[in-house]
C-alpha cells in the first residue's frame, strides 16, 4: 500500500500563492504517477496537475501558467506551487497516486489517496 500525506493548505488572499506538498510512503516501486485533484464546494473532484515517474507533467488548461507540479527535494515528495490564486481556487486539494504511465482525469483510476488539505482563497 502507498500512503499519501498532504501539507501546505491554508487561507490566502486572491492573487496570492501557496505551495502544497505530498509525501508518499509505504510500498513504493518505480512507475508511480502522482497527481493533485481538487474538490470545490458543490462540485466534482477534478484533476489539477500530475507527474509521471519519468517526470512528464500535466497541468489542467485553466491552471497552466499559474500552477506548477514538481518533485520536491525530499524523497518521494511532490509539490504543487499555486500562484495568482483566484476565488475558484477554494477547494480541498487531494494528492493521488497510481502505478502506470498515464495521468487519467478520472479519480476512479487512482488507487491511493491522501486525506486532503483545505485551501481557502479570500477576496
Amino acid at each position: 500500500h502507498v500512503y499519501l500525506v498532504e501539507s501546505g493548505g491554508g487561507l490566502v488572499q486572491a492573487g496570492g500563492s501557496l505551495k502544497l506538498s505530498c509525501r508518499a510512503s509505504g510500498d513504493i516501486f518505480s512507475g508511480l504517477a502522482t497527481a493533485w485533484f481538487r474538490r470545490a464546494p458543490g462540485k466534482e473532484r477534478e484533476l489539477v496537475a500530475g507527474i509521471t515517474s519519468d517526470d512528464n507533467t500535466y497541468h489542467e488548461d485553466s491552471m497552466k501558467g499559474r500552477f506548477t507540479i514538481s518533485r520536491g527535494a525530499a524523497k518521494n515528495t511532490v509539490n504543487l506551487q499555486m500562484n495568482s490564486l483566484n476565488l475558484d481556487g477554494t477547494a480541498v486539494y487531494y494528492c493521488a497516486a497510481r502505478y502506470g504511465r498515464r495521468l487519467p482525469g478520472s479519480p476512479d483510476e487512482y488507487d491511493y489517496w491522501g486525506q486532503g488539505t483545505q485551501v481557502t482563497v479570500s477576496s
Side-chain angles (χ1 to χ4, degrees):
H1 193 83
V2 177
Y3 301 92
L4 303 172
V5 178
E6 303 98 335
S7 62
L11 176 65
V12 63
Q13 284 193 320
S17 299
L18 274 179
K19 185 173 81 171
L20 306 182
S21 292
C22 172
R23 174 165 284 190
S25 61
D27 299 325
I28 299 171
F29 304 101
S30 63
L32 189 69
T34 308
W36 284 96
F37 282 78
R38 69 182 184 185
R39 183 170 61 198
K43 295 187 177 180
E44 299 291 323
R45 200 172 295 197
E46 65 172 345
L47 177 63
V48 173
I51 186 166
T52 64
S53 59
D54 52 359
D55 292 343
N56 290 313
T57 60
Y58 167 85
H59 297 83
E60 187 65 20
D61 284 345
S62 62
M63 300 162 214
K64 281 181 182 176
R66 297 188 300 122
F67 290 13
T68 304
I69 192 169
S70 65
R71 298 211 175 272
K75 188 178 180 181
N76 297 326
T77 299
V78 171
N79 296 326
L80 182 68
Q81 177 67 44
M82 304 186 294
N83 298 328
S84 302
L85 281 160
N86 55 38
L87 298 181
D88 290 344
T90 294
V92 179
Y93 286 73
Y94 297 90
C95 182
R98 65 187 299 272
Y99 283 102
R101 298 181 64 83
R102 298 187 303 118
L103 290 166
S106 170
D108 294 340
E109 299 202 46
Y110 290 80
D111 300 307
Y112 310 105
W113 289 87
Q115 291 186 318
T117 185
Q118 176 71 47
V119 172
T120 302
V121 184
S122 64
S123 59

